[in-house]
Amino acid sequence: MITSLTNPNVRHARELLHRRRVREAHRQFVVEGVRLVEEAHRAGITPALFFYTAAFAKTAAGQRLGLPTGVVVSDKVLASISDTVTPQGVVAVVPFPQIDVVRRSLVLVLDNVRDPGNVGTLLRSGAAAGVDEVLVAPGSADPYSPKVVRAAMGAHFRLALGEADWPAIAGRVAGLAVLLADAAGEVAYDRHDWQTPSALIVGGEAQGASAEGRALATQRVRIPMQRASESLNAAVAGSVILFEAAHQRRLNIKT
């Protein structure tokens, strides 16, 4: 059993948990809890490191996971590499998933979305709505931070996901209809033909979309509001629009 907080593998996991530059340098991130570890396993991801407590090994989930030997850690060590108040007893270090983009018919661009919960929710909605690729522009929260990973609920293992600067993003969405979600947009979100290959830019709540994002968009789409509502949370608005795209594509609807 590993009981030392200075164990090299434990220290590495802790640095990945807390430092973006370490995650980017090693192209690894931390997943914790049964659900996310199982999602990684189903995606065929081999953990670089695996930690669990003796108590977890005795649970039904622990038996189901087929835990490797030799990586049992004390509760104190497990808590040091966990970002939750009540750890479930299992943590893994996994590589950034490499998912090829087969086509680009629906791309999501996160622009200045600084709230980790919103980023994670948008990743989760993007995976569920059939987004082909998510591009994270400068100014957004780290898509591999613990809070984003928890909110995404395994979407990292089902989505092509990448961080890119605006020139690279412009190249990736070339040839697509590029739409910006904007409360003052000139076109209702359900009036766009989402069967047309499209990219949706979602800006953050605090500052909205960047100048680069606005310049790249060829059209702004809004969600019509009732009862004097001004706008929706960025994650909610983006999710509503993405599921309209999924709705049109599923039913072959032409606007």
Side-chain angles (χ1 to χ4, degrees):
M1 176 184 290
I2 298 173
T3 59
S4 173
L5 298 180
T6 61
N7 175 278
N9 288 340
V10 173
R11 290 177 61 183
H12 179 61
R14 192 160 56 245
E15 288 182 344
L16 289 172
L17 190 69
H18 297 295
R19 299 182 183 179
R20 182 173 188 168
R21 64 177 179 81
V22 176
R23 291 191 288 269
E24 292 174 345
H26 291 272
R27 297 192 62 77
Q28 295 175 329
F29 66 112
V30 173
V31 297
E32 63 172 296
V34 176
R35 170 76 177 270
L36 290 178
V37 170
E38 286 184 331
E39 288 279 3
H41 178 72
R42 278 194 288 269
I45 302 292
T46 301
L49 296 169
F50 208 109
F51 308 91
Y52 59 91
T53 63
F56 177 79
K58 297 176 182 177
T59 65
Q63 298 293 319
R64 187 169 66 245
L65 282 172
L67 298 169
T69 58
V71 288
V72 180
V73 298
S74 67
D75 291 342
K76 183 178 179 180
V77 168
L78 198 287
S80 77
I81 54 176
S82 171
D83 191 58
T84 57
V85 176
T86 308
Q88 294 183 23
V90 60
V91 170
V93 170
V94 298
F96 288 5
Q98 299 298 311
I99 300 175
D100 294 332
V101 182
V102 177
R103 60 176 185 174
R104 285 192 177 90
S105 64
L106 184 58
V107 174
L108 173 63
V109 180
L110 305 186
D111 181 10
N112 275 335
V113 184
R114 300 179 186 276
D115 182 88
N118 283 343
V119 172
T121 298
L122 284 164
L123 294 180
R124 186 177 181 182
S125 293
V131 166
D132 300 306
E133 182 177 31
V134 178
L135 299 172
V136 181
S140 293
D142 177 7
Y144 296 100
S145 72
K147 288 182 175 60
V148 172
V149 172
R150 284 202 306 276
M153 295 293 286
H156 289 77
F157 307 114
R158 300 189 293 272
L159 273 175
L161 171 64
E163 299 176 81
D165 59 19
W166 283 106
I169 291 172
R172 299 282 271 276
V173 302
L176 305 182
V178 182
L179 300 102
L180 172 66
D182 190 328
E186 60 272 15
V187 177
Y189 76 108
D190 55 354
R191 295 302 180 187
H192 174 68
D193 179 5
W194 289 101
Q195 294 192 63
T196 300
S198 303
L200 174 66
I201 300 175
V202 176
E205 292 181 61
Q207 297 179 326
S210 65
E212 295 88 346
R214 291 184 175 277
L216 185 60
T218 55
Q219 192 173 71
R220 299 182 305 165
V221 293
R222 71 181 190 281
I223 300 173
M225 301 287 176
Q226 297 185 37
R227 297 180 180 174
S229 299
E230 292 183 3
S231 64
L232 294 173
N233 166 285
V236 173
S239 298
V240 167
I241 297 171
L242 290 175
F243 277 99
E244 171 61 22
H247 170 243
Q248 289 189 19
R249 290 165 181 231
R250 185 176 69 255
L251 299 182
N252 197 30
I253 294 172
K254 291 285 188 180
T255 59

